[in-house]
Amino acid sequence: MNQQTMRAFAFGLLAAALALFIYTQATGFSSLSETAMVKQLEKEQYVVLTSAQAAKQKQENEKLQQKLSQLTAENGKQAPQRTKEKTSAKKKKSYTLHIKSGMSSSEAGQLLEKAGIIEDSQAFNDYLTENGYAEKLQLGEHTVHQSMSMKEIAVVLTTK
């Protein structure tokens, strides 16, 4: 490397450092503390959980999923006892709900109401909000049935 190349390289480094300094000053870039980051995220309506809270939520979801499976199994055992007329009159209507990023619980409720899974989207949204499910909706595809209760639908929508 000759002297001119070395000077050009040093000038390039100096120019890059100067551009980075100007950029950070102009954009107000600052290092946020953990508390400030959490407050900023909550201000933008994100839910921030500690690892302990997330583990507790996961355990609750697993318990509810087990209970749902148990109830579904019990319901399956009781189904043959019904008459053919009752079962044909009340056919199980299922719907696959696609929850996308940014979708609110009220939007999900409206889609379920349009599909005929629930009767009142506002009542469903109120249930989700009052019971803490509204912020826990999981992205992806969720299959729900018309015969499910609001709680069972909520568990399905908040469990991956």
Side-chain angles (χ1 to χ4, degrees), residues 71-83:
L71 290 171
T72 305
E74 289 173 6
N75 192 21
K77 290 177 185 176
Q78 293 173 357
Q81 297 172 355
R82 296 181 184 166
T83 63

Side-chain angles (χ1 to χ4, degrees), residues 43 56 68 125 141:
K43 180 180 164 187
K56 183 179 176 184
L68 176 63
N125 188 45
E141 295 182 358

Side-chain angles (χ1 to χ4, degrees), residues 10-55:
F11 179 73
L13 287 176
L14 180 63
L18 183 61
L20 185 60
F21 177 75
I22 292 171
Y23 173 75
T24 57
Q25 295 302 314
T27 59
F29 176 78
S30 63
S31 174
L32 294 176
S33 68
E34 185 177 330
T35 315
M37 282 188 266
V38 169
K39 286 181 182 178
Q40 181 65 29
L41 287 169
E42 287 174 345
K43 180 180 164 187
E44 294 179 16
Q45 302 204 355
Y46 284 93
V47 177
V48 180
L49 300 175
T50 63
S51 58
Q53 291 170 326

